[in-house]
Amino acid sequence: MTAELKAFIKQYADLDQDKLDAVTQKFKQRSLKKNDFLLEEGLICADLVFVQEGCLRLYYLQDEVEISVWFAFEHSSAIEIYSFISEKPSKYFLQAIEDTVIWYLPKSELTNLYKQYPEMQEMMRNFWEDVILNLLERFTALQRDSAEQRYLDLLTKPAFLQKIPQKYLASFIGVTPTSLSRIRKNIR
């Protein structure tokens, strides 16, 4: 089991070493090749995912155009929150944008862990709070900030610029690839 997965869990819950070991042993490992799907529209998101290495992209289709919503970089989580919680079919795709290794915990296992280790409920509450705050921050930026400001904000996050193709970055900040090229040219 990886030290990074344990560190990720510990940031949300104070588990002693035995409980932490027991929880992490419930996670299963999976490798994805670039462009493989972890989730497709119409399926239910049934796993809590930790990205060990690589990167995943959450996106949806609008008039046959892919709109990138979120990126999960290594040592972070990936989840389609609505489908996971509601157990309803997703309207999103979760795709590897490079070769990726994940650890995943099926929701049924998470439910069992709640019963076995009540601290897991606190962990997930803290995790959901973090997810909600990040979503609110992203939503606010899309509503309030100009496309140029959203791109400037990305410049402070090297992983975005190093790993994410320009066409995905463009949709992530809400512009066309041509507009992103113009923004980049004006900033130089």
Side-chain angles (χ1 to χ4, degrees):
M1 194 53 56
T2 70
E4 294 87 1
L5 176 58
K6 289 181 179 182
F8 176 79
I9 292 169
K10 283 189 74 73
Q11 77 180 347
Y12 295 110
D14 186 24
L15 299 173
D16 66 37
Q17 194 59 47
D18 289 340
K19 288 178 183 176
L20 183 60
D21 290 341
V23 167
T24 55
Q25 287 174 6
K26 298 293 184 183
F27 280 78
K28 299 172 186 171
Q29 189 178 45
R30 181 174 171 195
S31 295
L32 302 163
K33 295 288 185 196
K34 180 179 180 176
N35 296 323
D36 282 354
F37 288 94
L38 188 58
L39 176 69
E40 294 185 58
E41 181 180 26
L43 300 177
I44 295 172
C45 180
D47 300 315
L48 177 64
V49 175
F50 173 78
V51 180
Q52 177 67 39
E53 58 186 64
C55 186
L56 299 172
R57 171 176 75 117
L58 182 70
Y59 73 93
Y60 65 93
L61 291 174
Q62 181 175 335
D63 300 324
E64 298 184 32
V65 174
E66 296 178 2
I67 308 296
S68 298
V69 178
W70 199 260
F71 299 98
F73 297 100
E74 58 189 38
H75 307 159
S76 70
S77 65
I79 193 165
E80 200 277 84
I81 190 170
Y82 179 84
S83 178
F84 185 84
I85 292 173
S86 70
E87 298 181 354
K88 292 182 179 178
S90 178
K91 295 178 182 175
Y92 294 87
F93 297 84
L94 192 54
Q95 180 183 37
I97 61 171
E98 61 185 13
D99 290 351
T100 301
V101 176
I102 63 165
W103 290 94
Y104 67 96
L105 180 69
K107 187 174 183 180
S108 58
E109 284 290 344
L110 179 61
T111 302
N112 290 336
L113 287 171
Y114 287 161
K115 296 171 189 164
Q116 194 171 1
Y117 305 110
E119 300 93 333
M120 287 300 294
Q121 292 181 30
E122 178 186 356
M123 179 207 150
M124 289 309 294
R125 180 185 53 80
N126 290 332
F127 173 76
W128 294 131
E129 287 174 358
D130 192 39
V131 168
I132 290 167
L133 290 175
N134 281 302
L135 288 172
L136 286 171
E137 183 179 325
R138 171 132 169 80
F139 175 77
T140 301
L142 284 170
Q143 296 294 312
R144 178 193 62 211
D145 298 340
S146 67
E148 183 174 299
Q149 183 59 52
R150 292 191 300 271
Y151 180 73
L152 287 170
D153 290 344
L154 285 183
L155 293 178
T156 66
K157 301 171 184 170
F160 279 86
L161 302 176
Q162 293 166 356
K163 291 186 176 259
I164 310 301
Q166 294 296 308
K167 64 182 180 179
Y168 298 159
L169 282 179
S171 72
F172 183 70
I173 65 170
V175 298
T176 65
T178 304
S179 295
L180 179 57
S181 294
R182 209 172 12 255
I183 290 168
R184 294 177 69 216
K185 185 178 178 182
N186 290 338
I187 289 175
R188 290 184 189 150

